[in-house]
Every structure is written in structure tokens, then in C-alpha cells.
Amino acid sequence: MAGLLVPGGRSVRLHLDTPPQVANIGVGVHGTTVARESFLLPELWQLHLYGYQGELTAGGVTHAIRPGHVSLIPPGVGVRFDYRGRSEHLYAHLRIPRTGTPLPVPVMQDAGAQAAALSTMLRQAVAASPRPTRQSAAEVWAVLWRVAQLPRAAPDTRSGEPHPAVAAAMAYLESRLAEPVSVPDIARHAGVSHNHLTRLFRAETGDTVVAYLRRRRLARAEHLLRRSTLSIPAIAASVGIADLQAFNKACRREFGLSPRGLRAAR
């Protein structure tokens, strides 16, 4: 299925000349036991309509998830979901024939005023299951056409480049994950006030600066636990959590596994 993800990873080529085949459809509930999950469907498209905040990483590009956002992932593209507690979405896994002229559609976009209608249509398609029917395929086909035609005059900037001050703060944090840092220090580096940076971070990421820093430290720790031979104490120190008991608790809270468990699962 090469070529369905447009170079740059922010849009896909979607063929809608013929109805999709619905392989699986339903309501997904995640984030209750683990804060991160990864999926790869070699032959199926993934359509999601979200009711929560989080992050989706697909093809190496991270997109903000917000209530009312909808995403389309083509077959063969690995995805990672980062949850923030209980997270519910509507989903459909589809086979879409590659016939006709493809339409460019963003991987992630805000359905805005159409989110409620899309939710109703998808729930009708769910109700037409558990046996795949022409009705469920027709409902999903109509959803795909609506998603392809969502207005893009004012794109969701949170899935694009961040505000310059937020970008500067993020870069500063990435270079100092092992060091104690304060929000006022980060704000001074970004050239804005403490309160303004807090507001910008909340608008761009849905998180506080402190919560973002914690997630980045733990993401780095997870990578090192799975991909390196560094000792667990060295990894903890490298992400600014030298207290091993605190590091253990943080990993269990974020990933549902201890540091040793993450290393064993690689």
C-alpha cells in the first residue's frame, strides 16, 4: 500500500469511487490500564473519531488528539496512541479499493460542527454490525466522503507547527531532560512570561509545561529501556529521576510496567 501516505506524513491519498469493505467497527475504550499502545494493520485503513485528548503518532509525525477530531491511517503505517486516562473513540477498520482518482485528506483534522453528525453515522454503522452489511458499508462510505470534504480554510494549528515560544520551550526541555528545570526558567528561555507560556502550552498540547516535561522524560526512558543496554539507574538519572523508587512508580503509572518489565518486553 505504498504511496497512500503523502510525503511529509500529514495527509493521505483516499480513494472513494467505490464503497469500502468494513472489516471491523465499534467503540474503543483505552487508557485504563496502559498509557501508550502501538498498532500496525498491514491491509486495513483505520478511521477514528475521538472523544478525548491525547496524541497520535503515525509515520513519524505526532498529531494532537482532541474531542471531535477525526483521523485516517492507511494500511501498513504503524501508529502509536498516547492516552491521558480513560479514552473512548469510534473506529472502523476498512478495505478501500484503489479505484478512481485519489483525494488528498489530512491524517488528522477537526470535524468541528460536523463531529456530531459523523458520530451519529458511525454509531448507526456500529449498530448495523456485528455482521458486516451493506448498510454499515454505506454509512462508513458517507462518513469518508464527509471527512474528505471537511473545510480546511482554518486548519488545526495544533497538528502543524507549534507557536515559536512553544517550539523554543520544547527544544530547551529536550536538551535538559536530565536536569532540574523550572517553568520560569523555561519561559525566560522562550522569551515569554510564565503565565503566557502556560497558556500557550495548554492551547498547543492540552498539557501543562510540567506534564509535558514528565511525558517527554518517560518517553526517553522507555526508548532507552527498550533499545539500549544502559543500566536502569543510569537511565533514570539520564531523564532527571535519580530516585529509583520514584522512577519505578512513574513507569508503572505511565506504561503499566516497571522499568524491568519494559526492558523484558522489548
Side-chain angles (χ1 to χ4, degrees):
M1 294 295 178
L4 293 174
L5 187 66
V6 173
R10 296 194 177 277
S11 61
V12 298
R13 298 182 177 96
L14 181 65
H15 297 76
L16 290 178
D17 283 39
T18 54
Q21 299 171 6
V22 179
N24 192 15
I25 189 168
V27 180
V29 178
H30 302 267
T32 57
T33 56
V34 296
R36 173 176 292 177
E37 291 182 303
S38 298
F39 302 92
L40 174 63
L41 302 184
E43 299 179 356
L44 300 174
W45 283 80
Q46 300 177 59
L47 167 68
H48 292 86
L49 178 62
Y50 301 97
Y52 57 89
Q53 292 191 0
E55 287 183 349
L56 166 72
T57 301
V61 178
T62 299
H63 307 266
I65 295 174
R66 299 290 180 270
H69 281 203
V70 61
S71 69
L72 270 171
I73 307 298
V77 175
V79 296
R80 187 187 73 213
F81 289 92
D82 288 287
Y83 308 112
R84 301 173 191 169
R86 187 181 187 278
S87 304
E88 181 176 311
H89 57 230
L90 292 161
Y91 72 90
H93 298 160
L94 313 165
R95 292 182 177 87
I96 302 178
R98 295 180 69 173
T99 58
T101 303
L103 302 172
V105 180
V107 168
M108 179 76 73
Q109 54 185 326
D110 186 352
Q114 295 201 43
L118 293 176
S119 176
T120 297
M121 295 164 71
L122 281 173
R123 290 183 186 278
Q124 289 172 345
V126 171
S129 297
R131 58 204 177 285
T133 65
R134 291 183 179 180
Q135 179 186 346
S136 62
E139 294 282 5
V140 174
W141 195 17
V143 167
L144 291 172
W145 272 109
R146 286 205 180 199
V147 169
Q149 296 170 343
L150 286 171
R152 296 171 208 163
D156 180 10
T157 58
R158 286 172 293 195
S159 64
E161 294 299 319
H163 187 283
V166 174
M170 288 177 171
Y172 180 77
L173 289 174
E174 288 296 322
S175 68
R176 287 167 173 77
L177 293 181
E179 304 172 16
V181 292
S182 69
V183 176
D185 286 341
I186 299 164
R188 280 193 293 273
H189 182 84
V192 294
S193 71
H194 177 169
N195 289 338
H196 189 41
L197 181 64
T198 299
R199 287 192 295 270
L200 288 172
F201 246 82
R202 178 72 73 178
E204 296 268 355
T205 71
D207 264 341
T208 63
V209 179
V210 172
Y212 175 85
L213 174 59
R214 177 185 60 80
R215 287 194 298 108
R216 291 303 306 144
R217 281 175 165 162
L218 290 173
R220 174 75 63 82
E222 182 198 25
H223 173 78
L224 292 173
L225 286 165
R226 292 183 185 274
R227 305 294 182 185
S228 80
T229 58
L230 286 173
S231 69
I232 289 175
I235 291 172
S238 75
V239 296
I241 314 175
D243 184 321
L244 289 181
Q245 185 175 3
F247 184 57
N248 191 304
K249 288 181 179 179
C251 287
R252 287 184 180 277
R253 184 173 57 248
E254 186 77 4
F255 307 114
L257 292 170
S258 68
R260 290 185 183 277
L262 285 168
R263 172 149 281 174
R266 63 184 178 179

